[in-house]
Amino acid sequence: MALAQAKQDVTEARLAALSLPEGAGWIKAAREDALARLRAMGLPGRRDEYWKWTRPDALTAPDAAQAAVFEGDDTPVFGEIDRVRLVFVDGVFDAAQSDDPTLAGVEIERLEAAAQTDIHWLKELYGVLETRGQDPVHRPLAALNTAYATDGVVIRATGKAERPVSLIYLHESETSDATLHHVIKVEEGAELTVLENGPAAARLNMVMEVEVADNAAFHHVRAQGRDHERRAVTHLFARLGTESVFKSFTMTANGVLTRNESVIELTGDNATAHIAGACTGDGDFHHDDTVFITHDAAHCESRQVYKKVLRNGAAGVFQGKILVKPDAQKTDGYQISQALLLDGDSQFFAKPELEIYADDVQCSHGSTTGAIDETAIFYLRSRGVPEAEAQDLLTLAFLAEAIEEIEDETIAEDIRTRLEAWLARRRGG
């Protein structure tokens, strides 16, 4: 009883400073439903099973903790890619810094504008995948987002997009608290690539809901910003139709607290879902990947590939589950999570899970934690490679399997270059 009251107190304290945004009747109903669900669940605490290795306090506190703005001289991530740039500054869309959305060849609107219309396709999706993703594991911070988000993009692709849509998140205020909600619908036979990069705010709560229809393809690559003091929780909800393809990759370097949740449903036969991540952390760094993939159709394939490189007391978490329902015969599910600990102070916590109710499947999972291979270090040093550079070469080789999940080789090469630069800076420091 005392624990339930404590969760309720934290929840009400967080909600006290918020008010539900205005909008058309359908989105008002969706927001009120999300708020009711949130109050029933309560915001997360350390006693919750899926939060036992990550402290949610900074994400549930009434106010965002101050986070210094990173001043770097790096070239922009994805800067060499021909893309349509949509810029958000501290969680608010900035039209002046953005490109013309029509250049992408898909329908793009701001959530704020779409929410004011009485008739919109968004009505069938806003908060729907988030709601489905609450079972069997509660995700209260996602419900909080659905209730209170006022900005984000609404994208519908009816054919192959002419250019990737690039969502750029700039952080300018040390106390900014951003809540972004994106909804993406990829119609039958269509194809879309979405790129994301930047820290967004001192504290970020983001939801992306993605509906991938039959024979459609969605590609997603995200580079989370280098502002070290930022705190973020992201949620990616996806539902896949027959013979559809969904691929997502996230690179994280820096960030005092990052939790990326992904909930994917394969509801059409012969669907494919690949989700991967590469993270490099140093010192006061906590990174949590929590993934739940449900196979609810036959002949589907899923892959989870997560690699973390941790040093100087950094901490990493992976919680991944594959659920195979009774009719999901011929499922092919693969899951691997691995951590490379570069010192004796860093930690990696893993909870891989399989729950299978079909009898004709191929599912595997594995998790390993270890130090760098001293024999390989010796081999490289014996051939004239300095020890620090040898360690970096082996680190990049360790991360390679996750980066290979990126479909576009140009984007993959950009990610490799970023990781090489991060390692070089740490070597120099």
Side-chain angles (χ1 to χ4, degrees):
M1 183 65 71
L3 180 60
Q5 184 61 50
K7 285 174 68 74
Q8 184 177 355
D9 291 345
V10 170
T11 303
E12 293 304 324
R14 179 76 177 95
L15 299 180
L18 302 173
S19 58
L20 289 179
E22 295 296 325
W26 59 268
I27 199 166
K28 181 180 179 182
R31 286 166 170 162
E32 290 175 346
D33 176 71
L35 179 57
R37 290 187 284 108
L38 172 60
R39 283 198 158 109
M41 291 182 278
L43 287 171
R46 288 296 296 277
R47 297 289 187 90
D48 294 353
E49 175 65 20
Y50 282 88
W51 286 89
K52 63 183 179 181
W53 291 314
T54 298
R55 294 188 64 90
D57 312 42
L59 302 172
T60 60
D63 299 309
Q66 184 169 312
V69 177
F70 176 78
E71 300 291 345
D73 56 1
D74 297 354
T75 57
V77 181
F78 311 128
E80 302 302 315
I81 307 297
D82 183 17
R83 59 200 168 123
V84 175
R85 301 164 62 256
L86 303 177
V87 179
F88 292 81
V89 179
D90 290 321
V92 179
F93 181 70
D94 188 331
Q97 295 192 63
S98 301
D99 296 329
D100 179 357
T102 62
L103 296 175
V106 296
E107 299 175 17
I108 302 177
E109 295 179 73
R110 285 183 68 181
L111 174 63
E112 181 183 54
Q116 305 303 318
T117 60
D118 291 324
I119 300 176
H120 200 288
W121 62 261
L122 182 62
K123 177 181 178 180
E124 306 302 322
L125 276 183
Y126 184 81
V128 172
L129 302 187
E130 175 265 304
T131 302
R132 293 172 65 91
Q134 299 290 349
D135 183 28
V137 178
H138 289 165
R139 306 178 196 280
L141 288 168
L144 175 71
N145 180 293
T146 297
Y148 291 100
T150 58
D151 220 336
V153 292
V154 176
I155 303 175
R156 184 170 72 153
T158 57
K160 184 172 182 179
E162 296 176 13
R163 296 176 178 84
V165 176
S166 180
L167 305 179
I168 300 170
Y169 309 120
L170 304 181
H171 173 203
E172 294 185 357
S173 168
E174 293 188 346
T175 57
S176 55
D177 194 3
T179 305
L180 287 170
H181 195 117
H182 307 309
V183 181
I184 299 170
K185 185 175 185 179
V186 188
E187 300 276 19
E188 184 173 355
E191 184 173 349
L192 174 67
T193 297
V194 171
L195 309 175
E196 294 185 278
N197 71 279
R203 179 171 68 178
L204 172 67
N205 181 333
M206 183 163 61
V207 165
M208 179 181 287
E209 298 182 280
V210 184
E211 176 91 292
V212 188
D214 298 348
N215 300 294
F218 177 75
H219 299 279
H220 173 242
V221 182
R222 172 170 55 184
Q224 294 179 309
R226 285 181 56 205
D227 292 39
H228 184 66
E229 295 180 9
R230 63 177 172 79
R231 294 162 175 84
V233 57
T234 73
H235 312 83
L236 177 58
F237 298 97
R239 180 167 58 187
L240 280 61
T242 301
E243 297 186 359
S244 62
V245 174
F246 173 97
K247 290 191 175 183
S248 175
F249 172 87
T250 298
M251 179 187 76
T252 308
N254 293 359
V256 68
L257 172 62
T258 305
R259 179 176 170 112
N260 296 323
E261 296 195 19
S262 301
V263 183
I264 302 168
E265 292 182 275
L266 295 92
T267 60
D269 294 348
N270 296 292
T272 299
H274 290 195
I275 187 160
C279 117
T280 52
D282 194 338
D284 183 18
F285 172 93
H286 186 100
H287 189 274
D288 180 336
D289 285 303
T290 296
V291 183
F292 199 114
I293 294 182
T294 299
H295 285 260
D296 197 13
H299 297 274
C300 293
E301 172 189 299
S302 69
R303 286 175 59 86
Q304 302 174 47
V305 180
Y306 285 87
K307 301 292 187 86
K308 299 182 191 292
V309 178
L310 308 168
R311 70 171 89 191
N312 296 330
V317 176
F318 174 78
Q319 301 176 106
K321 184 166 186 173
I322 301 173
L323 169 63
V324 182
K325 292 191 174 182
D327 293 332
Q329 302 294 346
K330 302 295 184 180
T331 285
D332 182 356
Y334 173 77
Q335 179 195 92
I336 187 71
S337 61
Q338 296 178 313
L340 184 62
L341 306 184
L342 300 183
D343 57 50
D345 298 323
S346 299
Q347 295 179 293
F348 178 59
F349 306 94
K351 185 183 180 184
E353 298 179 86
L354 296 177
E355 187 174 344
I356 301 172
Y357 296 100
D359 54 13
D360 188 3
V361 304
Q362 291 185 351
C363 290
S364 64
H365 66 177
S367 182
T368 63
T369 307
I372 205 157
D373 189 338
E374 292 298 332
T375 301
I377 289 284
F378 177 79
Y379 176 86
L380 290 170
R381 292 192 66 192
S382 69
R383 279 149 180 79
V385 180
E387 182 173 5
E389 291 183 26
Q391 187 178 81
D392 287 355
L393 287 171
L394 294 174
T395 297
L396 290 169
F398 171 77
L399 296 171
E401 183 183 2
I403 299 172
E404 288 169 1
E405 293 295 324
I406 301 174
E407 187 85 4
D408 188 307
E409 181 54 36
T410 302
I411 298 175
E413 185 57 34
D414 194 0
I415 293 294
R416 291 189 193 97
T417 300
R418 303 290 162 177
L419 288 170
E420 289 174 7
W422 187 90
L423 293 168
R425 284 191 296 270
R426 290 301 180 270
R427 190 194 319 144

